[in-house]
Amino acid sequence: MGKPGSEFRTSDCELMSYFRRANLDMFWSKEASTVAGSLSAYKQARRNRVLMGMPPEIIPQGPYPIGDPYGMAIAVDILKQSQRPGKNSKNYTQYDSVRKLRSGYSNLFAASPALNKGFSGTDDTYKIKSSKGVRFDYLYGKTESQFFAWFMLGMKKRMGRLVNQDMGISMDLMLAILKQYDLELEDPDLDPDRVRTIIVCGAAFVILFAGALRGNEVLYVERSELVKWRQGGRTKKVDMTHVVVPLMGRFKAETGTRNFMMALANESDSGLEIGRWVHLLSAKLEMEGLSKSIGPAICNADGSLVTSQELNAELHDVLLEIQANSPELIVSSIDVKYKYSINRSFRRGSTTRAREKGVSEATISINNRWRQVERSGGSMPNLRMIDLYTEISQTLVSRLRFSKSL
């Protein structure tokens, strides 16, 4: 039993204010019209009972037990966390971030021995299996109570969402980035480390843009297969010349390591030299001997993975230089570090460019097919790279249409 509360104790008064906030959020999970409609229906039912000489249905509304079986303390944790400075606002942390506290608690409750008695031989947990064999478990824990569900919904309605969307990188800006890199590479006295950074980052940015990838997805490019397939896209048909970009990693909703393969046009209609930058990276990896081992292609000289933060820092540096020299591409009022990121800027820019060029949604979907399978929870066969290339070569015209149109 805890200490009794006191209206003269500051901490107790603050705690009571959080209790009030949690209760108010719970109330506002339902629309006023919904509550009024439910109450009206219940009153009508009571009147019907009276007309028929029947006693009204009495549904006990309390008292509730002393303690915290419904998760009020966890609700206070979440409310307190929401008041901390967040990523998109200095005044609060948005709902999409603080709701992860509930997920954390839910996972802990699910792993608790007290809630998994089946391990002791007496399984009294509820399990439901659908007609298709999908199993559902009945979850215990304070975060699954009706109060907590209503509290989270009311909090979401009250806070809303503050979304900071990355600005898309236009084709003109993409070409300006590569032109800036080419100017640096023309310097015979350029530091070798800087040369390597330009090649790695330039290739990463080109693959991100041409493949409409999210920032972390370019880190799946695998170096030994990238070098192995360096000549894989050469063909006598000029309009079919392409480069092969293999992706390897542990993807969401997949078991174990999975292989994927992208085919990108050698050069886009706007002059984006996709093949050149991919070949520069391949040659660099081969010269350094890194292609002999499996690992990330977007890597440091020692073979370790280049982080998203390092790619972002390089992107911001080159964009700031372009902003200073070419304000027509990035106006001076834009905060480059806040509005541009590898997470979405390249993908948003290339997708917008493709739509402007009249590329159909079906073609865009084909380009993103591997991600759609991952997101839907489906499963792709774990084929070897040679088998994957055989598969995509049968639909090569459709697969190249997106990157070619840029």
Side-chain angles (χ1 to χ4, degrees), residues 23-198:
N23 284 327
L24 289 173
D25 282 340
M26 176 191 67
F27 292 149
W28 282 106
S29 65
K30 302 290 184 181
E31 298 298 326
S33 58
T34 302
V35 176
S38 298
L39 180 59
S40 176
Y42 176 66
K43 288 180 177 179
Q44 182 61 51
R46 285 175 64 96
R47 287 193 291 269
N48 292 339
R49 291 286 186 99
V50 172
L51 291 174
M52 292 184 291
M54 299 172 62
E57 189 74 34
I58 304 298
I59 304 174
Q61 297 297 302
Y64 285 95
I66 297 176
D68 184 24
Y70 306 112
M72 176 61 80
I74 299 176
V76 171
D77 291 341
I78 293 175
L79 289 171
K80 186 68 175 178
Q81 181 65 27
S82 71
Q83 294 180 304
R84 299 180 182 276
K87 181 179 179 180
N88 293 334
S89 174
K90 296 180 180 179
N91 299 321
Y92 70 97
T93 300
Q94 64 178 349
Y95 174 82
D96 285 341
S97 297
V98 298
R99 69 183 175 88
K100 295 176 183 177
L101 285 176
R102 182 191 186 183
S103 300
Y105 274 112
S106 295
N107 289 329
L108 289 173
F109 282 128
S112 172
L115 303 179
N116 286 278
K117 297 181 181 179
F119 289 107
S120 64
T122 57
D123 190 351
D124 60 353
T125 58
Y126 295 99
K127 301 184 189 303
I128 304 171
K129 183 177 287 188
S130 71
S131 59
K132 295 184 179 181
V134 179
R135 194 189 77 169
F136 300 92
D137 292 339
Y138 180 84
L139 296 179
Y140 294 88
K142 299 177 180 180
T143 54
E144 309 307 323
S145 69
Q146 186 64 75
F147 156 77
F148 208 89
W150 283 343
F151 157 71
M152 292 298 295
L153 179 57
M155 184 182 185
K156 180 180 180 180
K157 289 182 176 181
R158 171 174 59 87
M159 295 184 66
R161 297 183 66 193
L162 177 63
V163 180
N164 173 34
Q165 289 190 339
D166 290 341
M167 290 187 68
I169 290 180
S170 66
M171 175 54 74
D172 289 339
L173 186 53
M174 185 70 224
L175 294 175
I177 292 173
L178 300 180
K179 182 179 179 180
Q180 181 66 35
Y181 280 160
D182 282 333
L183 289 174
E184 287 192 67
L185 291 175
E186 290 176 1
D187 183 1
D189 299 322
L190 189 62
D191 182 75
D193 290 339
R194 179 57 186 167
V195 172
R196 192 183 194 287
T197 297
I198 289 175

